[in-house]
């Protein structure tokens, strides 16, 4: 049981890491898009960063108990339980990449604005 609990917390840490990277991307994107936003959305960020991984790790643990409760859960005879963790991580990576492209696009638009002088523009690039 201890080995399984350690593996569950390890998988939770990995998934939370990816979702906190997504939260950072969302936060930066919102800072660039909404300059004077009175609401900072910190509760939503907390729910994304800690809540989504919790939901999927609980789902993974239940599917692991039902489908493949052998050993320390470090081997995989069935691929199904691992996709419960991998699909949300892949989704967070894809969304974060889209946010990255959008952030780069916004920054380039701001650099090309007529308010930025020629010397400053090359300095920022």
């Amino acid at each position: 049981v201890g080995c399984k609990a350690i593996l569950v917390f390890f998988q939770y840490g990995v998934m939370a890491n990816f979702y906190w990277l997504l939260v950072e991307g969302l936060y930066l994107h919102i800072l660039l898009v909404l300059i004077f936003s009175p609401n900072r959305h910190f509760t939503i960020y907390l729910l994304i960063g800690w809540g989504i991984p919790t939901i999927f790790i609980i789902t993974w643990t239940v599917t692991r108990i039902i489908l493949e409760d052998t050993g320390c859960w470090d081997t995989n005879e069935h691929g199904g339980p691992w996709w419960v963790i991998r699909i949300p991580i892949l989704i967070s990576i894809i969304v974060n990449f889209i946010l990255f492209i959008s952030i780069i696009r916004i920054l380039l638009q701001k650099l090309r604005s007529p308010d930025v002088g020629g010397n400053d523009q090359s300095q920022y690039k």
Side-chain angles (χ1 to χ4, degrees), residues 62-91:
V62 170
T63 57
R64 198 62 199 215
I65 289 170
I66 292 171
L67 295 177
E68 192 177 5
D69 193 12
T70 57
C72 185
W73 294 355
D74 56 349
T75 59
N76 300 317
E77 293 176 14
H78 305 290
W82 280 109
W83 286 107
V84 173
I85 292 177
R86 300 298 177 232
I87 288 176
I89 288 175
L90 287 172
I91 290 171

Side-chain angles (χ1 to χ4, degrees), residues 1-98:
V1 173
C3 181
K4 292 176 184 178
I6 289 171
L7 190 65
V8 167
F9 284 118
F10 174 74
Q11 293 298 334
Y12 178 74
V14 169
M15 186 174 263
N17 185 22
F18 281 101
Y19 274 88
W20 276 107
L21 286 172
L22 177 63
V23 167
E24 288 180 17
L26 284 169
Y27 182 69
L28 181 59
H29 188 267
I30 288 174
L31 279 178
L32 289 173
V33 172
L34 302 173
I35 296 173
F36 299 110
S37 174
N39 191 359
R40 293 291 179 195
H41 310 289
F42 289 122
T43 307
I44 295 171
Y45 297 147
L46 288 173
L47 289 174
I48 292 171
W50 297 119
I52 292 175
T54 301
I55 292 168
F56 285 106
I57 290 299
I58 289 171
T59 306
W60 174 74
T61 304
V62 170
T63 57
R64 198 62 199 215
I65 289 170
I66 292 171
L67 295 177
E68 192 177 5
D69 193 12
T70 57
C72 185
W73 294 355
D74 56 349
T75 59
N76 300 317
E77 293 176 14
H78 305 290
W82 280 109
W83 286 107
V84 173
I85 292 177
R86 300 298 177 232
I87 288 176
I89 288 175
L90 287 172
I91 290 171
S92 73
I93 291 170
I94 291 168
V95 171
N96 216 359
F97 182 73
I98 292 168

